[in-house]
Amino acid sequence: MKLTQLPDADPILGVQLHQNRTAESSSVEIQYQNAAKGMHSLRMPFLDALYLLNALEQMSLDSGWDARRRPPAS
């Protein structure tokens, strides 16, 4: 399987929940801009997004950084 590198997010512009009857059939869409001002969208299953959230929160706790950090002001 070939790995495709997505453009770096700079900044994240929004997150949208596409809710279905179950968590397993729902998804999350992240919209972001790259440094060249190109617009991008990434969609993933809701349960994978929750796994990512849990992993980021654990990394935040392990590093001593505040897990409730807000996005930087534009």
Side-chain angles (χ1 to χ4, degrees):
M1 179 183 296
K2 182 180 178 186
L3 179 65
T4 302
Q5 181 70 38
L6 298 174
D8 290 346
D10 184 22
I12 293 175
L13 302 172
V15 179
Q16 183 176 15
L17 173 63
H18 299 278
Q19 190 171 1
N20 290 318
R21 290 180 176 255
T22 65
E24 292 82 4
S25 63
S26 297
S27 64
V28 172
E29 184 177 359
I30 303 166
Q31 299 89 26
Y32 67 97
Q33 193 173 37
N34 65 2
K37 306 297 183 201
M39 302 291 290
H40 302 277
S41 177
L42 171 66
R43 195 166 180 157
M44 69 179 73
F46 180 71
L47 295 179
D48 287 338
L50 287 180
Y51 173 79
L52 176 59
L53 176 62
N54 289 333
L56 291 170
E57 287 176 338
Q58 188 61 52
M59 285 181 214
S60 179
L61 291 171
D62 292 346
S63 68
W65 295 337
D66 185 0
R68 295 170 304 278
R69 183 177 178 276
R70 300 286 183 243
S74 299

